[in-house]
Amino acid sequence: MMKLVFANALLVCLLLSSSFLEISMAGSGFCDSKCARRCAKAGVKDRCLKFCGICCEKCHCVPSGTYGNKDECPCYRDLKNSKGKGKCP
């Protein structure tokens, strides 16, 4: 019985630590590098980087390429601005 409780506690700790790791990765260089690639050909690069960074932190992903491929990340694709248009570049 005690082994089962210990195993469950260990499993919960592992799951929580992996969630925190994923969140901290998204806040660090992960989003910066993914958005730099995504916005490489943008006309207004600073604006693209700003909104890509916001979307990446919220969704924890950025579609590949410099345009399109948004089906790779439905959260990124579905975020809308106040006017109902796509928020993420």
Side-chain angles (χ1 to χ4, degrees), residues 16 27-28 30 34 37 46 50 62 85-86:
L16 287 175
S28 65
F30 174 80
K34 293 284 189 181
R37 263 186 251 128
D46 59 336
K50 175 186 174 183
V62 175
K85 296 191 177 199

Side-chain angles (χ1 to χ4, degrees), residues 30-40 48-49 52-53 56 62:
F30 174 80
C31 288
D32 292 342
S33 65
K34 293 284 189 181
C35 288
R37 263 186 251 128
R38 184 77 179 167
C39 297
C48 180
L49 289 169
C52 180
C56 178
V62 175

Side-chain angles (χ1 to χ4, degrees), residues 70-88:
K70 289 186 178 180
D71 288 333
E72 294 175 0
C73 185
C75 170
Y76 190 97
R77 176 194 66 210
D78 296 339
L79 285 178
K80 305 289 184 211
N81 64 18
S82 60
K83 296 177 183 174
K85 296 191 177 199
K87 180 176 194 157
C88 308

